[in-house]
Structure formats: structure tokens, C-alpha cells
Amino acid sequence: MQIDYDRVAVTDEQAPLPDALSQLLTRIHTGLSIAGDFIFNCQMGRGRTTTGMVTACLISTTLTWDGNTFEFDGEEDEEGYDPMDGPSEEDAYLQGGFCDLVDFCVIFFLSLTLCVVGEYKTILQLVGVLSHGKVAKRLTDRAIDLMQDVQNLRKAIYEYVCLHLPPSLSHVFHFQINSYKLKYEACEKGLKQDKLMNIAVNYLFVPPCQIPPRLDTDMERYTDTAMAHSSYSPTTSSR
Amino acid sequence: MKEGKKEVTFPEWLHEHREITNLLGRRSLD
């Protein structure tokens, strides 16, 4: 059996340091054309394992890109460009090429940071700072969803944050919920609104006991609004 | 990789972009 083994030092429950991420990138990049499979494992086979899998998925996706528009499965692709997101950097980016080591690295580092802090204020700022932020985020969300049979990193982090969030930071969650709420109220009623609601509810859904107190009211109001327009099921969406 | 373009490692690139390292270095969600 031919095995090309390597150890990447990543501290548990922390984002990989840049050097570790660079090592992952190099290993996967150089091995992609010859390797049959990539196998990742950590102590528990959950968090860091999935992080490696998501990283490999992102590298594979970008290396095999044919130069045309990325095809995203599911709701985002069908919804198309949403003017609520502001000017589309994505179109300009996709015309400019993608095969550059730094581009890869930015996406990977963004992805690993996303795994740590979720879709919160810092991440939104990071997406804004990066010239390819929006595409990177979409690719990352897709990779996380593809690997969720092991663990959905986004949900895991959200639940972790809900359990450990100091009351002084609960306004960050208001920011996140309000952004979904604005989108929901702005879009047309019907199928598109139902899909957006499914995304939001599944993304934000946690047992009530884990929701910070200041969030509770907004969540109830938000889901009440959703119930008035659609019949959603938190268990049926891809998220 | 793009032909004729010098390859920059990720740590090198990150070192030159303090606006990104500042964001990534935050230890809270705020």
C-alpha cells in the first residue's frame, strides 16, 4: 500500500496558523494529480479532520475550475445575484482568472477563519477587504456543506458561540439576524422567499435554551413572520 | 499558477497585508 504521510500541527479548537495552512495547501496542491484519495484524521476525527477535508475540497474545486462561471448547487445559484449584497465583485473577479497561489491561499485562510467565527461581523469585514471575498465565501460555504456528514463546521461553531457568548456580545447576533431579516423582507413573496427562509432558519436554528436572551425576542418575531408566509422545515433544507 | 509570475507563499503574502492580518487576529466576534 502506497501512503504519503505527513503531520500538520494544528491546535485543537483553534484555526490553523498560516504556516500550517500553507503546508496543507502545498501537500494537497502537489498531490492532487497523483493521489487516489486524501485522508485526514485528528484526535477525535471531527473538527480538524473536517477542516482538512474542507481545505482539500476548496483546492480541488479551484484547481479543476475550467474558467467559466462557478456552478453552485442549491438555492444561491437559482436565486442569482441579489442586489442587497451591493455591487457584484464576483463578475469582475471571475473574468480576471483564478489560477494564482495567493488567490488559493486567501480563499483557504478565509475558509478556516470562517470555520472559527462563522458569518459574523469580522467575517463580513474580511469578505469586504478581500478582492475575491464573495466568491471565496460562497465556495467555502459549499465546501462546508459538502463535508457536513462528518461535521457541519458552521453549525458547530454557532452552537459553541451560543453556549459561550458573553451578554456584551449578543448584539453581534442581532447584526446577523437583521441582515437575514432585511433580505427576507426585501425579496418577493413566494418561492424565493421560502428558500431564503429555509436558509435562515436552518442556519440559525438552535434549541431555545441556547439562544442568548437578547436574541430570543428577535428569533421569535422572525420565525413568526416566516410562518405567516411559508411552511418551512428546519430538517429538510441542505443546510 | 500563472506563467511568468513569481510564486508568493501564503505567509509572505499575509505578511504584506496587515489589514487582513488585523482582522484575522481578532480574538472576539465584535
Side-chain angles (χ1 to χ4, degrees):
Chain A
M1 183 181 296
Q2 290 185 328
I3 297 177
D4 184 3
Y5 173 84
D6 198 8
R7 181 177 183 273
V8 181
V10 179
T11 305
D12 197 13
E13 297 187 349
Q14 290 185 22
L17 296 173
D19 284 344
L21 193 63
S22 187
Q23 184 184 352
L24 262 178
L25 168 67
T26 304
R27 294 281 296 170
I28 297 169
H29 186 202
T30 55
L32 193 62
S33 60
I34 55 174
D37 297 292
F38 287 95
I39 300 173
F40 300 89
N41 195 33
C42 59
Q43 185 179 19
M44 296 292 289
R46 299 272 287 172
R48 288 171 291 180
T49 296
T50 316
T51 297
M53 293 168 65
V54 168
T55 305
C57 177
L58 280 166
I59 295 171
S60 174
T61 302
T62 51
L63 284 179
T64 56
W65 181 53
D66 62 2
N68 296 315
T69 304
F70 276 105
E71 291 185 4
F72 292 94
D73 297 330
E75 298 87 349
E76 289 185 27
D77 192 37
E78 293 172 22
E79 285 174 11
Y81 172 64
D82 188 339
M84 288 294 290
D85 291 333
S88 174
E89 302 168 7
E90 209 169 299
D91 294 337
Y93 165 59
L94 289 173
Q95 293 168 5
F98 201 65
C99 297
D100 182 271
L101 179 60
V102 168
D103 289 347
F104 289 136
C105 289
V106 172
I107 289 175
F108 301 148
F109 206 43
L110 172 63
S111 74
L112 273 303
T113 308
L114 276 168
C115 294
V116 173
V117 297
E119 191 173 1
Y120 307 116
K121 187 176 178 181
T122 301
I123 286 302
L124 296 177
Q125 290 176 339
L126 192 58
V127 168
V129 168
L130 291 170
S131 55
H132 312 324
K134 287 187 68 177
V135 175
K137 188 181 177 308
R138 291 183 73 184
L139 287 174
T140 302
D141 280 340
R142 174 180 174 273
I144 290 174
D145 290 342
L146 288 172
M147 302 302 156
Q148 67 180 351
D149 284 349
V150 179
Q151 185 177 48
N152 187 309
L153 294 176
R154 212 169 28 240
K155 288 181 180 174
I157 295 302
Y158 182 79
E159 289 169 6
Y160 178 88
V161 170
C162 282
L163 288 171
H164 297 86
L165 187 73
S168 60
L169 289 180
S170 61
H171 68 279
V172 175
F173 284 81
H174 278 274
F175 181 84
Q176 185 182 19
I177 286 179
N178 284 336
S179 69
Y180 276 115
K181 199 184 326 184
L182 282 172
K183 275 190 174 183
Y184 179 78
E185 291 170 353
C187 71
E188 298 172 3
K189 288 185 171 63
L191 185 63
K192 184 176 178 182
Q193 204 173 45
D194 290 350
K195 286 181 178 178
L196 191 60
M197 196 62 241
N198 270 332
I199 294 172
V201 169
N202 282 280
Y203 186 70
L204 296 172
F205 183 81
V206 291
C209 61
Q210 294 182 10
I211 300 175
R214 287 175 56 188
L215 252 178
D216 214 359
T217 308
D218 260 15
M219 282 292 281
E220 286 176 6
R221 195 165 59 222
Y222 189 35
T223 48
D224 284 348
T225 306
M227 291 292 283
H229 294 295
S230 67
S231 57
Y232 66 91
S233 168
T235 59
T236 56
S237 167
S238 60
R239 278 195 174 176
Chain B
M1 307 303 138
K2 289 173 181 173
E3 289 182 8
K5 191 168 182 178
K6 179 182 178 296
E7 289 187 8
V8 181
T9 67
F10 180 51
E12 287 171 351
W13 182 89
L14 204 57
H15 185 70
E16 296 171 1
H17 291 76
R18 291 188 60 81
E19 73 279 14
I20 292 174
T21 54
N22 287 340
L23 284 170
L24 296 175
R26 290 184 183 178
R27 306 304 300 173
S28 78
L29 296 173
D30 195 7

